[in-house]
Amino acid sequence: MLTLTWCALFLVAETGAVRIYTNHWAVRISGGLSTADRLARKHGFINLGQVFEDADYYHFQQLAGKKKSLNKHRRHHVHLKREPKIDWFEQQALKRRKKRQVFSFPTDPLFEKQWYMNGELSDTDLNVLTAWKLGYSGKGIVVSILDDGLEKDHPDLSANYIQTAPLPAPNWPFLSVAAEAENP
C-alpha cells in the first residue's frame, strides 16, 4: 500500500499538481554580503552568492535535510521570518520545463513552388515541415552535392557555398558496378 501511495504522489508531482520543494532559497537581505553570510551560517545555510549585482537578493542552500520534499521546511520558515534584516525569502520549488515551439512557417515567397518540401506530393515529400516543427534545423550539418549543374552563385547558395569542402571517399556501390560492367 505504501508503494502505491508513493507511486501516486510521484505521478501527481510529475504532472505539476504538487510542488516539490528544494533545499535552495532566494533571500532578500538588507545589510550586504557580510550580513548575508552571517545569517546563512546562523540558520544552517551556505550563501551561494548574490543573485543580482545591484540588488540584495542572495541564493542560500540548506546544508542539512532533504534536497527535495513535498513539504516546505517549516523550521527554516519560522526562523527566517523572525530575522529583522531579512526582507523577503522563498524556498525554491522545482519547475517542470517544456520545450517551446519556435517553428514558424517559411517566409520564402517561392516556398509554394518547392513541391518536394511543402507536402504537395505525399509520396516524394521530404517531410521538412515535420522535421522543423520537431526542432531539427540542420545547423552544423555539411551537405556535399556531387553535380555539375550547381549554380553556386545563386543568392540562396552563395553565402554557404564552400568550394574547397573535402569530398568523401568514393564508396558508392554504383561506381563498382559500373566499373565491373566496363571491365568484365
Side-chain angles (χ1 to χ4, degrees), residues 162-184:
I162 306 170
Q163 188 165 351
T164 59
L167 293 175
N171 188 18
W172 301 292
F174 64 86
L175 290 179
S176 60
V177 172
E180 289 173 12
E182 289 178 9
N183 303 316

Side-chain angles (χ1 to χ4, degrees), residues 138-145 160 162 164-168:
K139 184 177 182 178
I141 303 298
V142 176
V143 176
S144 294
I145 301 171
N160 295 312
I162 306 170
T164 59
L167 293 175

Side-chain angles (χ1 to χ4, degrees), residues 73-172:
H73 198 290
R74 296 283 177 214
R75 184 175 61 85
H76 283 302
H77 277 267
V78 169
H79 290 289
L80 294 176
K81 198 172 221 170
R82 290 181 184 159
E83 281 293 340
K85 291 279 189 184
I86 296 180
D87 302 321
W88 171 87
F89 64 90
E90 183 177 294
Q91 186 175 2
Q92 301 299 288
L94 293 180
K95 305 259 189 234
R96 184 151 179 89
R97 304 286 183 208
K98 293 182 183 175
K99 186 175 180 178
R100 295 183 195 151
Q101 294 295 332
V102 293
F103 174 77
S104 60
F105 201 79
T107 57
D108 183 349
L110 298 177
F111 185 74
E112 290 180 8
K113 296 182 184 214
Q114 298 172 0
W115 51 266
Y116 49 89
M117 292 177 72
N118 66 19
E120 188 175 309
L121 300 174
S122 61
D123 57 336
T124 56
D125 185 7
L126 296 175
N127 287 324
V128 294
L129 292 177
T130 304
W132 290 341
K133 287 177 185 174
L134 291 172
Y136 297 104
S137 67
K139 184 177 182 178
I141 303 298
V142 176
V143 176
S144 294
I145 301 171
L146 304 175
D147 188 349
D148 60 356
L150 181 66
E151 189 180 339
K152 65 181 180 187
D153 297 325
H154 189 279
D156 285 350
L157 300 176
S158 62
N160 295 312
Y161 179 75
I162 306 170
Q163 188 165 351
T164 59
L167 293 175
N171 188 18
W172 301 292

